[in-house]
Amino acid sequence: MNVNTIIAAAVALGTLGVAAPASAQQASNDDVAGLVKSVMDATYGQNYDAKNACWAFTWKDDQGESADYCMRPGTPQIIEGPRGKTLYLNTFSATDIRGDARYGYSQVQPGLMGAFKIKIGGKQGWIYEANDSGTDYGSAGDCGCTRARLIKLSNSGDYGWLFTSGGTWQGVTVADYSIVAAIKGRITDISKIPQVTEKAQGVKYDVSVKEDPAAKGFFPLHVVKTTADGKTEAFDVAFDTAKSMYALPPGR
């Protein structure tokens, strides 16, 4: 699968907007595919690996240790608002590469997610509003973010990617919800809500956004807590503006 095929497939699946005739829609898709390639080249360099259909990228952790990944674009989505068009694009580390020692990850090695909020237009054609080439999530090279969904977070035009990541070690599963969004020009994970914790393996949390047309800030999250005996408890979690975070209330 070459670069044009993988990007065109993502565009066809995910571009948002008003329905258009087939020819006009194809032109739009071609434009977005070109934009995605430009973003990938600008972020990860001219390092496209045609054999594995991804961009080779060396990432360094907080301790300065480096690891090799190959990044693919997720589904690009265009949101039209009062200020024009915004492209939201996430990227993720490929986990299906075989026969290349660079991408053979151990259980403890995380995956990577990149995230981009891009203003479309101007002399350059596009400009970053917020961007992150890669943040570590998950285990065994899998960030969990291949299943990330772009969700609306406010009536003011805030959006973010919701997904879960984690891993299982010695029979114990730990997983967390992430909501990756652009906050004050920076890509930030604004969720500290678990899906499953180490100390309470029989308890699971399910999270969704509770849209409210009258809300002035970020929407609350609707959380359903299910215990090992099947009992459920539902409650809402408000966005903490001081901490820029969603977190479970004490005792939940």
Side-chain angles (χ1 to χ4, degrees), residues 1-6 37 41 45-56 70-72 94 96-97 100 102-103:
M1 184 179 292
N2 63 29
V3 60
N4 293 326
T5 301
I6 194 169
K37 183 179 184 303
D41 286 342
Q46 301 288 328
N47 297 317
Y48 182 69
D49 181 336
K51 179 181 177 181
N52 296 310
C54 51
W55 276 257
C70 213
M71 305 298 290
R72 288 182 180 147
D96 59 354
I97 298 173
D100 191 326
R102 292 176 298 171
Y103 310 126

Side-chain angles (χ1 to χ4, degrees), residues 16 41 90 113 120 124 153 170 174:
L16 300 182
D41 286 342
N90 70 307
M113 176 183 178
I120 299 176
Q124 293 178 286
L153 294 170
Q170 298 181 341
V174 176

Side-chain angles (χ1 to χ4, degrees), residues 2-228:
N2 63 29
V3 60
N4 293 326
T5 301
I6 194 169
I7 293 175
V11 171
L13 286 170
T15 302
L16 300 182
V18 179
S23 59
Q25 186 65 48
Q26 183 60 50
S28 176
N29 286 352
D30 289 344
D31 291 343
V32 177
L35 175 54
V36 170
K37 183 179 184 303
S38 294
V39 173
M40 298 296 289
D41 286 342
T43 303
Y44 303 110
Q46 301 288 328
N47 297 317
Y48 182 69
D49 181 336
K51 179 181 177 181
N52 296 310
C54 51
W55 276 257
F57 177 58
T58 300
W59 175 80
K60 288 188 177 182
D61 63 18
D62 293 337
Q63 288 72 46
E65 297 292 328
S66 63
D68 292 319
Y69 291 90
C70 213
M71 305 298 290
R72 288 182 180 147
T75 302
Q77 301 202 49
I78 293 178
I79 305 297
E80 295 195 45
R83 296 176 56 234
K85 293 182 178 180
T86 301
L87 171 70
Y88 288 89
L89 176 71
N90 70 307
T91 62
F92 56 88
S93 51
T95 58
D96 59 354
I97 298 173
R98 302 293 180 265
D100 191 326
R102 292 176 298 171
Y103 310 126
Y105 305 109
S106 69
Q107 182 66 21
V108 298
Q109 285 182 284
L112 288 187
M113 176 183 178
F116 307 88
K117 179 182 180 183
I118 293 167
K119 178 71 174 177
I120 299 176
K123 294 181 179 179
Q124 293 178 286
W126 62 274
I127 188 171
Y128 294 121
E129 289 196 358
N131 68 93
D132 178 23
S133 59
T135 296
D136 54 318
Y137 291 98
S139 60
D142 184 0
C143 62
C145 56
T146 57
R147 299 173 291 278
R149 295 183 295 110
L150 188 70
I151 55 173
K152 185 177 180 180
L153 294 170
S154 77
N155 292 314
S156 300
D158 295 290
Y159 287 80
W161 290 272
L162 172 65
F163 64 99
T164 59
S165 64
T168 300
W169 296 268
Q170 298 181 341
V172 177
T173 298
V174 176
D176 298 292
Y177 286 97
S178 289
I179 300 176
V180 174
I183 305 292
K184 297 180 180 178
R186 296 184 62 183
I187 297 296
T188 306
D189 191 337
I190 58 174
S191 172
K192 284 189 175 296
I193 297 179
Q195 185 184 50
V196 180
T197 67
E198 180 180 1
K199 294 182 178 179
Q201 290 286 283
V203 176
K204 182 182 178 182
Y205 297 89
D206 290 297
V207 168
S208 59
V209 175
K210 190 174 182 178
E211 289 195 32
D212 179 0
K216 294 185 178 180
F218 275 32
F219 301 137
L221 300 180
H222 185 66
V223 180
V224 178
K225 177 182 179 182
T226 304
T227 58

